[in-house]
Amino acid sequence: MMFATEKFTDPDAAYARVLEIYEHNTAILRDAFRQFSSGQPMDQQRVRACYPFVRITTEKSTHTDTRQSFGFVAGPGCYQTTLTRPKLFHQYLLAQFRLILQNHEVPLEVGVSDMPIPVHFAFPEGIHVEGSLDPEHLRTLPDHFDLPDLATMDDRIANGTYEVDNGAWREGPHPLALFTGPRIDYSLHRLRHYTATSPDQFQRYVLFTNYAFYVDEFVRLGRRLMEPTDDPDELAYRRQYTAFVEPGNVTTWSANQEGAETRAASGVAPARQPQMPAYHLQRADGSGITLVNIGVGPSNAKTVTDHVAVLRPHGWLMLGHCAGLSASQRMGDYVLAHAYVRDDHVLDDDLPLWVPIPALAEVQLALQDAVASITRLDGYELKRIMRTGTVASVDDRNWELRDHRTPLLRFSQSRAIALDMESATVAANGFRFRVPYGTLLCVSDKPLHGEIKLPGMANTFYEQRVAQHLQIGIRALELLRNNGIEQVHSRKLRSFAEPAFR
């Protein structure tokens, strides 16, 4: 079946054509792979199918609403992107299509691109060719199918280093989105591998943590919210969440929804914990809360945010523990980061150190209001337990064993009040990928003042603070959600020549 490029002024019709092209072309690859893997004769020697694309061509700048941070192109020209997994991105694509049509009053063109779909990515749930094919079939796989090509999956668009091949600005095509189809597919498969949950389960508001204690508390909370209640106020709150999903896509449905009695738990817990397990407190519209335990270190923080970013979340927060650097801090105090010392180094090649990572007022206010709400402290009294300041993130967990003169000088000159290994990475990748970000840490030790983390002290600290800290993070994300995505997607995250898609 051949798909001619067509123009659409109806976003639903444009989406339907994208879906039709994608489903048809991936079905071709799946059917051919089944023939190939079973040893049946191939209908054709080499099988290729390509991603759908969407394109806009405009001769003038017609966007007029200066409050918006996305949904419009930078100027006259041709703009295009390849698309994948339209069912997963249904509401997202419709929203982007509507804004572009509204802002530019020119049709969307939808057709088949010349970018091949790797056969691995034609299977949304993944295929494991190494395990399912004998050595001969595995050796000849590239002769019959396109395989993932790293040259099509880099982050030049997000990094701002993408250049139009022909060098002519008016001709283009210029990027319409931050990520191409192959780049998205790569991350979706990586997410399943690292978190042991399907990308379909992820919600639009994300918490990252570096300690399993937060996971334990989140699981207790998620399971409790799924239980029935007779309290009218509690019932209203619980009804906003429809399911709780754990690794292995183990799903507990809310007992407070209509028809709950007919929905049984599903999924199978993995035999072993994944590297960065994810848990999802879901809402029907996908605007619930996902928690990912990224473990310790900037490398994990970069890895998971590289992949979560393709889902285009409305915001992510880092909740974790830190070393307090100020003598006035106490164990259990909170640190609201408003700046970062980037000694993590994992993003230096993607985001130069001279690029500032600004605090986002909308996120900062939500975090501050959440701390006040949960602790019932306000105004000047809030300063008793929370400080706003610079967080230094390092790539060496044993930084204390270095010659103290160098790190102490950097902490002093930067006015750092807390130190960890992940926060600057999470914030910097939020900036790089245009995802609203924030950091709220809890002081768990004060190594510069002789209060190092020891088992007895740590256990008491965890018992007292983890539940409250998690409640604050959840409340902050709920406040951001209630304020609306137009408020949280700040213009501070976008440059003067941005892709139109959020």
Side-chain angles (χ1 to χ4, degrees), residues 147-169:
L147 304 186
D149 180 4
L150 293 180
T152 66
M153 299 180 201
D154 62 53
D155 281 328
R156 286 180 298 160
I157 301 173
N159 291 347
T161 58
Y162 177 86
E163 295 180 0
V164 178
D165 290 339
N166 59 20
W169 173 255

Side-chain angles (χ1 to χ4, degrees), residues 78 85 110-111 417:
C78 176
R85 298 289 296 275
V110 177
I417 61 170

Side-chain angles (χ1 to χ4, degrees), residues 341-358:
V341 174
R342 293 174 53 200
D343 271 346
D344 52 325
H345 299 303
V346 294
L347 282 168
D348 292 2
D349 292 335
D350 295 296
L351 193 68
L353 286 172
W354 54 260
V355 176
I357 309 300

Side-chain angles (χ1 to χ4, degrees), residues 5 28 71 74 83 115 121-122 167 262 266 300 328 334 380 395 398 438 488:
T5 300
I28 289 174
L83 302 172
M115 184 173 287
F121 297 163
T262 64
S266 59
N300 275 3
S328 64
Y334 294 115
Y380 192 58
D395 58 2
N398 294 323
V488 73

Side-chain angles (χ1 to χ4, degrees), residues 225-260:
L225 291 179
M226 298 303 104
E227 296 173 354
T229 181
D230 295 326
D231 183 311
D233 294 333
E234 181 67 15
L235 179 61
Y237 181 77
R238 293 189 187 190
R239 275 184 171 166
Q240 68 178 309
Y241 295 109
T242 58
F244 183 65
V245 180
E246 304 175 48
N249 298 318
V250 175
T251 303
T252 303
W253 300 98
S254 172
N256 300 294
Q257 307 292 325
E258 291 185 11

Side-chain angles (χ1 to χ4, degrees), residues 122-139:
F123 293 79
E125 299 305 309
I127 57 172
H128 305 285
V129 294
E130 293 83 356
S132 61
L133 298 181
D134 60 54
E136 178 60 24
H137 278 79
L138 190 58
R139 183 182 64 80

